[in-house]
Amino acid sequence: MSFGEQILSRCKELGLTQQNVADELHITRQTLSKWENNKSYPDLKLLLALSEIYHVSVDSLLRENKDLTSFLNRDKASQAFNIIRGLFWLLIGFYFWSPSNYWSNILIPILLVDYRMKLATQLVVNKKRHSA
């Protein structure tokens, strides 16, 4: 049974509506519908919340669905890369930062712009993921 079929059947068993579940998760009903139709998947945080609402283990939701498992693994790899990237830029900043260093006047604004761009990109991705 696919992920979508599992949450749809569990929703019917518990007598919940899409709107009830969507309101509890702070998502749209359309997002939940896409999950039920296997068109998109929740992130790990929402998957944990779903397991609590439906009174099932995360393991049972993941067990038979390879697409959802690979989606979550890709998300973890992306987060790990972003952490390493951030540490790299932080170390570069510390290396070049000194009051008398010419490069600190150039590099620090570049680092700040890069960090803000990354945050903005992450916000857009998260917004699309939750509305998708």
Side-chain angles (χ1 to χ4, degrees), residues 2-130:
S2 73
F3 172 75
E5 291 169 342
Q6 286 181 25
I7 62 173
L8 185 60
S9 69
R10 195 67 185 141
C11 190
K12 288 179 182 177
E13 287 173 14
L14 295 173
L16 299 170
T17 65
Q18 278 185 339
Q19 193 63 51
N20 296 134
V21 176
D23 289 344
E24 192 152 343
L25 294 173
H26 306 290
I27 59 171
T28 64
R29 187 185 54 74
Q30 291 80 5
T31 299
L32 185 60
S33 177
K34 287 180 182 180
W35 296 347
E36 291 175 348
N37 293 314
N38 295 311
K39 292 183 179 178
S40 67
Y41 299 108
D43 61 12
L44 189 56
K45 179 180 164 187
L46 289 171
L47 185 65
L48 292 171
L50 270 175
S51 72
E52 290 177 13
I53 291 170
Y54 291 136
H55 307 292
V56 294
S57 68
V58 174
D59 182 54
S60 66
L61 291 173
L62 292 175
R63 184 169 293 144
E64 296 179 23
N65 198 320
K66 302 294 181 203
D67 291 336
L68 178 57
T69 305
S70 67
F71 172 78
L72 292 172
N73 285 336
R74 190 172 349 121
D75 195 37
K76 280 194 288 188
S78 174
Q79 289 175 355
F81 174 75
N82 288 335
I83 289 170
I84 291 170
R85 180 176 179 242
L87 289 174
F88 170 77
W89 281 110
L90 188 64
L91 290 173
I92 293 291
F94 283 139
Y95 178 76
F96 284 108
W97 190 354
S98 79
S100 62
N101 192 340
Y102 168 77
W103 288 103
S104 66
N105 296 329
I106 296 172
L107 193 59
I108 295 202
I110 291 172
L111 290 172
L112 291 174
V113 168
D114 180 60
Y115 183 69
R116 288 180 182 166
M117 292 293 287
K118 182 59 186 165
L119 286 177
T121 304
Q122 194 68 28
L123 287 172
V124 169
V125 167
N126 287 340
K127 188 174 183 179
K128 285 183 181 179
R129 182 181 301 148
H130 292 299

